[in-house]
Amino acid sequence: MNDEILIVRNVRARRTRLSFDPITGRARLTVPPRASLTKALTWARGQSEWIERQRERLPVARPFMPGAVLPVDGVPLTIDWRADAPRLPKIVEDRLTIGGPVEMVPRRVELWLRRRALALLEADTAVYAARAGVNVTGVAVGDPRGRWGSCAHHGAIRYSWRLVLAPPEVRRATAAHEVAHRIHMDHSPAFHALVATLYGRDPVAERAWLRAHGASLHWFGRSPAD
């Protein structure tokens, strides 16, 4: 069981704590600096039923394979692989057509999704930056596990490319959130008021969607064995 639990010594921790990460599918045991690791592990082993219940609730892995359905910008697209089709993915009605070696499908689909995400988020960011009257020095996408977007003090904004798989309103609310950080580099009442002004309303529903379903976005592109 030790191999299934990530053990972390945290100088700020005041008590031993067991948590579960729905993104990685691993349990995390946080231990104060002076606490007994042996006792902490003994206690954690006694929580095996709880850990198993958390595993049963994990999102379903959704690999990028022929026949898989991807919710791209709110539109379900079925990966349609044919060996003689062009290798570059292309939207044709309700399908994402792709050719070439079948073993390259997952990589090519992910690269296409990243490019699609960047194009959409660049457009979203430009809209809200214009409304806010601010300059954004650059927009990029990555695959962070802990946040959906970040705004640097010099004006560059970086997003998770997985937002392309979220409902469009969730993606746009995230863009409004990050653009608002160009004026308020905090989460003060003034910041949240600006987000609501830029977005058109308080994006409470969009924040709730990410809390409830955000982890599932990280299971796209993963195989059940991961």
Side-chain angles (χ1 to χ4, degrees):
M1 184 172 177
N2 293 9
D3 294 337
E4 301 173 357
I5 297 178
L6 176 63
I7 301 171
V8 178
R9 286 278 192 184
N10 190 328
V11 295
R12 296 183 178 180
R14 296 186 176 182
R15 62 183 179 85
T16 298
R17 180 172 178 267
L18 185 65
S19 59
F20 193 85
D21 186 349
I23 295 176
T24 63
R26 295 187 65 186
R28 177 188 176 101
L29 182 63
T30 302
V31 185
R34 296 187 179 183
S36 167
L37 182 57
T38 299
K39 290 182 179 180
L41 283 172
T42 298
W43 172 74
R45 292 188 185 100
Q47 310 303 313
S48 58
E49 291 185 5
W50 177 83
I51 293 174
E52 188 57 34
R53 286 198 301 272
Q54 304 312 305
R55 289 201 180 101
E56 290 172 354
R57 297 172 183 171
L58 284 173
V60 175
R62 302 178 71 172
F64 298 145
M65 58 185 295
V69 179
L70 308 177
V72 180
D73 192 23
V75 178
L77 297 177
T78 301
I79 298 178
D80 181 15
W81 173 80
R82 287 171 290 168
D84 59 346
R87 297 190 177 194
L88 185 67
K90 181 181 180 181
I91 296 177
V92 179
E93 297 180 346
D94 62 347
R95 294 171 290 118
L96 183 64
T97 62
I98 182 173
V102 69
E103 63 271 17
M104 294 299 295
V105 168
R107 178 60 176 163
R108 289 202 176 106
V109 169
E110 180 176 326
L111 289 175
W112 181 84
L113 286 170
R114 286 174 177 262
R115 290 193 295 268
R116 184 77 170 179
L118 180 59
L120 290 169
L121 285 162
E122 283 179 332
D124 294 337
T125 302
V127 168
Y128 296 121
R131 290 181 186 176
V134 298
N135 179 49
V136 174
T137 60
V139 176
V141 296
D143 195 15
R145 290 182 174 179
R147 57 178 61 186
W148 298 105
S150 60
C151 178
H153 65 88
H154 51 72
I157 295 178
R158 188 173 181 85
Y159 300 98
S160 167
W161 68 264
R162 295 179 183 274
L163 286 167
V164 73
L165 300 168
E169 58 270 21
V170 171
R171 187 194 71 241
R172 295 185 186 116
T174 304
H177 181 107
E178 297 307 327
V179 169
H181 277 312
R182 290 292 293 118
I183 297 176
H184 301 287
M185 291 296 285
D186 54 30
H187 290 96
S188 62
F191 165 80
H192 288 294
L194 178 58
V195 173
T197 297
L198 296 179
Y199 187 58
R201 59 174 172 80
D202 185 354
V204 59
E206 289 73 15
R207 291 195 298 268
W209 191 96
L210 279 176
R211 287 194 299 271
H213 306 288
S216 67
L217 300 183
H218 289 275
W219 287 76
F220 278 94
R222 294 173 63 169
S223 70
D226 290 344

